[in-house]
Amino acid sequence: MKQVRFVRIQHKIMVICITVIILPVLVMTINSYYSSERLLTQNYTNVLNDLSKQTNIRIDEFLKEIEKITLLASNGLSNDLSATPEGSFPIQDFLRNSDEQREIAAYNILMNYIMMKDRVFSIYLYNLNGGQDLFVSPHQPIDPNYKVANELWFKRFLHRNDRTITLTTRIDEQLQNKILAVSHARKIHDVSTGKLLGVIVVSIDIKFIEIVNRNLQEGLRSRFMIVDEDDKIVYNVDERLIGTLFRGNVRPPEATNVVVTSPLSQQKWTSYLYMPLDELTADGKILGRNLVTLAVVMFLFAVVLSVFLSHVITTPIKRLLRNISLVEKGQFEQVEHIRSRDEIGHLSVRFNKMSHELKRMVERMQQEEMEKAQAEMRALHHQINPHFLYNTLGSVKWIASMQQADKIVEMTDALISMLRYATRSDNSLVTIREELDNIKNYVTIQNVRYYGCIQMNYEIEDRLMDYRMPKMILQPIVENAIFHGLAEREDDGVITIRIQMKGSDITIEVCDNGVGMEEHMIQSFMTEKLRASDGTKGIGVHNVQRRIQLHFGKSYGIQVESAVGEGTIFTILLPAISDDDYI
């Protein structure tokens, strides 16, 4: 039958109160929280889109400046301060003839343009007409040992028909500091002959984007990046990520972030700006905390209300259950009277009357059981002693007839010790050492009768000798081993007593090498049906079994193993009782 799970009335009341009060509040809290979260996400998405577009516009302006410089340098860049006698193309004039005057003019023009725009540019003019190169870098030192002609991109650019090329973020090797930069290169042809005179390269430090992002919050600056058409990172605050794949490194998951993208007009680049949802919903979390606080307050109110109601209703029931538990444990004196003017109070009065009647009945049964056990112990004790006395006196008579005075003295001493041990009534439990001494006296008497044919072996640990056991337990077992096991053997018989610990118990094995027994004979021993050879009723293993179980319970006692022709083993299981436990 399936057991029904017990549910307290107090718990039922709490569940009802919490359900009625908390459930509507919980639904409203969750709905309000997620509604505000969606609204905040939408608003922040719009803000990030606007910021991203404005940033892209300024970046495009920088890239246009780079292209404008190269275009003006190629097609003509002159004014009153920089015009040369040769004409309006000072850059081309310098590439045709790199004398000092033309170099100064070209340098001043380029430097003047950079300073007017207040940009951190570097301009490199590579002469392909046999003259010297020109480098303009107001903020970074030039590396004179760098040869652009060895660069692969430069070689490819010269062999292609393209007039311009934009190099994505890379290390600017022309500078000693080896900064990361974006470069724009343009071929310069002679306006008259079309001959390729040189290449102008305008390089801008990639950190110009940080200047563009000055208006952004610090947290947003670290989350702004630019990716080219090959999904490689052009710009990131962490310079170690520049040039790596965007998808495989820092692409933010859209499930946990608000991500906006915006293309740049000057290059095939795309800017990414994102913000984690947990930061976006910081304001929403304030509302969420307020709603949670309200829900907690309502929950506490429901708990207090349910506890108060349950206390009024269940306190008498709990007292009644406690009284029932005390009665189950037999603690009738601690049962208290329940003062309640309702059905529970009436039930308590009837239960108290029943418990009083049950107490008297239990006390009467316990007294009867105690008297019965004492009577059985006395009967068993008196049954064992006279039987052995009769057999011993018969042996003494038989020895006397043989006129062996020394043997009579030996048997008489052993008999006196055994009678003194058997009739001692100071304690029902004796030490294993005392019980074994009694066995030795008994075997001494029997060896006289059987001409010393009985050999005893003892396998016992010294530490077990002072443990306690019931008196006169081993003697009936050894007697049965001699009379029913060894008496029919023609040669010497051996009885081994082996005592050892088994967990918290002690096992005593009495083994003989006698003729053994069949199963029905073992049952006769255990049920006290076997008769001694002289016609008197045997002491019986059954009596020993009863004594052990009266002392210690049904889990202890004797087990018998035997096979015809192989001997018999009596195993006695007793609790391990030391002197300290016994005291």
Side-chain angles (χ1 to χ4, degrees):
M1 181 176 179
K2 186 177 181 181
Q3 185 177 4
V4 180
R5 184 179 180 184
F6 177 75
V7 181
R8 296 181 181 272
I9 296 176
Q10 181 179 3
H11 295 166
K12 293 181 179 180
I13 296 175
M14 292 182 65
V15 170
I16 293 174
C17 292
I18 291 173
T19 302
V20 172
I21 297 176
I22 295 300
L23 187 60
V25 175
L26 183 63
V27 172
M28 293 175 58
T29 300
I30 295 174
N31 181 64
S32 300
Y33 177 76
Y34 282 105
S35 297
S36 62
E37 189 178 62
R38 287 192 296 269
L39 181 61
L40 286 171
T41 301
Q42 183 178 356
N43 291 339
Y44 271 100
T45 301
N46 295 334
V47 171
L48 291 179
N49 269 319
D50 293 340
L51 291 174
S52 180
K53 290 179 180 178
Q54 293 175 9
T55 302
N56 286 358
I57 290 174
R58 299 196 62 190
I59 293 174
D60 283 331
E61 291 178 355
F62 270 79
L63 297 178
K64 286 180 180 179
E65 293 293 338
I66 296 175
E67 187 175 357
K68 185 186 296 184
I69 292 175
T70 61
L71 181 61
L72 292 175
S74 175
N75 295 332
L77 192 148
S78 63
N79 50 38
D80 294 339
L81 298 175
S82 59
T84 62
E86 286 78 1
S88 301
F89 303 97
I91 301 300
Q92 293 191 17
D93 293 341
F94 169 76
L95 294 175
R96 293 191 195 97
N97 185 5
S98 303
D99 58 16
E100 183 178 357
Q101 182 179 0
R102 291 185 177 86
E103 179 182 354
I104 294 173
Y107 183 89
N108 289 336
I109 291 173
L110 296 176
M111 178 62 75
N112 184 55
Y113 186 81
I114 292 174
M115 298 306 294
M116 284 192 302
K117 296 298 182 180
D118 193 22
R119 300 291 188 260
V120 186
F121 293 145
S122 296
I123 302 177
Y124 317 128
L125 190 61
Y126 299 107
N127 197 329
L128 301 179
N129 197 36
Q132 63 181 0
D133 300 332
L134 179 62
F135 306 110
V136 182
S137 178
H139 298 289
Q140 296 289 342
I142 298 297
D143 183 1
N145 297 323
Y146 173 70
K147 302 298 182 181
V148 72
N150 297 329
E151 292 287 345
L152 182 61
W153 70 266
F154 190 79
K155 295 177 181 179
R156 289 180 177 177
F157 180 52
L158 294 181
H159 288 84
R160 292 168 56 181
N161 295 326
D162 297 336
R163 296 290 299 272
T164 63
I165 183 176
T166 299
L167 302 177
T168 188
T169 308
R170 64 184 182 86
I171 296 177
D172 191 344
E173 301 288 349
Q174 190 64 68
L175 300 176
Q176 291 184 1
N177 295 335
K178 310 301 181 185
I179 64 173
L180 291 172
V182 177
S183 304
H184 182 78
R186 181 183 293 273
K187 297 176 182 178
I188 300 178
H189 293 84
D190 193 317
V191 294
S192 301
T193 64
K195 178 184 177 182
L196 181 60
L197 299 177
V199 175
I200 185 171
V201 177
V202 179
S203 175
I204 181 172
D205 190 341
I206 194 63
K207 291 184 178 179
F208 82 93
I209 297 179
E210 297 179 5
I211 300 175
V212 172
N213 290 337
R214 281 181 301 185
N215 295 329
L216 292 179
Q217 297 177 357
E218 184 176 354
L220 291 177
R221 294 177 198 167
S222 62
R223 301 186 184 110
F224 178 82
M225 63 196 73
I226 300 176
V227 180
D228 64 12
E229 57 185 341
D230 296 325
D231 202 40
K232 290 185 178 181
I233 299 175
V234 175
Y235 169 77
N236 189 284
V237 173
D238 187 355
E239 295 183 354
R240 294 173 298 179
L241 297 175
I242 294 177
T244 61
L245 288 176
F246 174 62
R247 186 179 296 106
N249 287 279
V250 294
R251 185 180 183 91
E254 296 186 1
T256 58
N257 297 272
V258 175
V259 183
V260 297
T261 60
S262 180
L264 279 77
S265 61
Q266 288 298 113
Q267 299 291 334
K268 295 180 180 181
W269 294 349
T270 303
S271 65
Y272 284 82
L273 185 61
Y274 71 96
M275 180 177 290
L277 287 175
D278 56 354
E279 294 185 12
L280 291 179
T281 56
D283 295 336
K285 287 181 179 179
I286 297 176
L287 175 61
R289 285 195 293 269
N290 293 335
L291 294 174
V292 170
T293 302
L294 176 62
V296 170
V297 171
M298 297 300 294
F299 175 78
L300 294 177
F301 173 76
V303 170
V304 172
L305 179 63
S306 64
V307 169
F308 175 76
L309 293 177
S310 64
H311 178 75
V312 174
I313 297 173
T314 63
T315 296
I317 299 177
K318 290 180 179 179
R319 292 179 179 176
L320 181 59
L321 289 175
R322 180 178 180 273
N323 289 342
I324 294 174
S325 177
L326 292 173
V327 172
E328 290 177 350
K329 298 176 181 178
Q331 301 174 1
F332 299 97
E333 296 79 5
Q334 300 183 21
V335 175
E336 62 177 340
H337 179 67
I338 301 175
R339 301 180 182 275
S340 181
R341 298 180 181 180
D342 52 19
E343 292 81 0
I344 298 177
H346 181 68
L347 180 62
S348 173
V349 172
R350 305 297 297 176
F351 175 77
N352 288 345
K353 291 181 179 180
M354 182 189 70
S355 65
H356 292 158
E357 292 294 329
L358 182 61
K359 176 185 177 183
R360 286 195 292 269
M361 184 182 300
V362 170
E363 290 176 348
R364 185 169 60 252
M365 292 178 61
Q366 289 177 345
Q367 183 64 28
E368 292 176 354
E369 287 293 327
M370 185 181 301
E371 293 175 355
K372 180 181 177 182
Q374 292 175 353
E376 288 186 358
M377 290 291 293
R378 287 194 299 270
L380 290 173
H381 185 73
H382 291 305
Q383 181 182 7
I384 293 173
N385 289 336
H387 174 79
F388 174 71
L389 182 60
Y390 297 147
N391 291 336
T392 304
L393 291 176
S395 299
V396 172
K397 179 180 179 180
W398 179 76
I399 293 297
S401 66
M402 299 298 294
Q403 298 180 359
Q404 297 289 334
D406 53 346
K407 295 295 182 182
I408 293 175
V409 173
E410 184 179 359
M411 289 183 64
T412 303
D413 289 340
L415 177 59
I416 293 173
S417 298
M418 289 190 66
L419 289 175
R420 191 174 290 160
Y421 177 76
T423 57
R424 192 178 67 187
S425 59
D426 53 350
N427 279 314
S428 59
L429 296 182
V430 297
T431 64
I432 294 177
R433 188 188 310 278
E434 293 172 330
E435 184 73 2
L436 291 177
D437 289 342
N438 185 63
I439 292 299
K440 292 175 182 178
N441 290 326
Y442 173 76
V443 173
T444 298
I445 296 173
Q446 295 300 333
N447 263 326
V448 174
R449 178 176 180 180
Y450 290 100
Y451 299 101
C453 293
I454 302 172
Q455 179 181 347
M456 294 296 297
N457 293 331
Y458 300 94
E459 299 178 4
I460 308 167
E461 297 182 19
D462 291 339
R463 65 185 182 92
L464 300 180
M465 296 296 286
D466 293 326
Y467 276 74
R468 296 279 176 169
M469 63 179 294
K471 184 168 61 175
M472 298 295 292
I473 291 296
L474 293 181
Q475 186 267 328
I477 305 299
V478 174
E479 180 180 8
N480 282 319
I482 295 174
F483 289 162
H484 301 288
L486 303 180
E488 300 179 13
R489 286 179 56 91
E490 296 180 357
D491 53 355
D492 293 347
V494 179
I495 299 176
T496 301
I497 298 179
R498 185 181 299 110
I499 304 178
Q500 57 190 354
M501 293 293 295
K502 183 180 181 181
S504 60
D505 298 326
I506 290 179
T507 60
I508 303 175
E509 294 182 357
V510 180
C511 311
D512 66 72
N513 62 343
V515 296
M517 295 183 289
E518 296 180 353
E519 185 65 28
H520 71 278
M521 193 172 182
I522 295 175
Q523 295 299 326
S524 298
F525 272 109
M526 299 303 294
T527 56
E528 208 177 25
K529 294 179 180 179
L530 190 67
R531 297 286 177 171
S533 59
D534 59 355
T536 61
K537 189 175 182 181
I539 293 177
V541 180
H542 174 75
N543 289 334
V544 178
Q545 179 86 319
R546 287 283 296 154
R547 289 183 61 201
I548 293 174
Q549 293 184 348
L550 283 173
H551 271 288
F552 307 119
K554 298 293 185 181
S555 60
Y556 297 95
I558 303 174
Q559 291 184 348
V560 184
E561 298 179 11
S562 183
V564 177
E566 298 181 5
T568 304
I569 300 176
F570 289 84
T571 302
I572 305 172
L573 181 64
L574 300 173
I577 303 175
S578 65
D579 280 342
D580 294 336
D581 297 332
Y582 186 66
I583 293 173

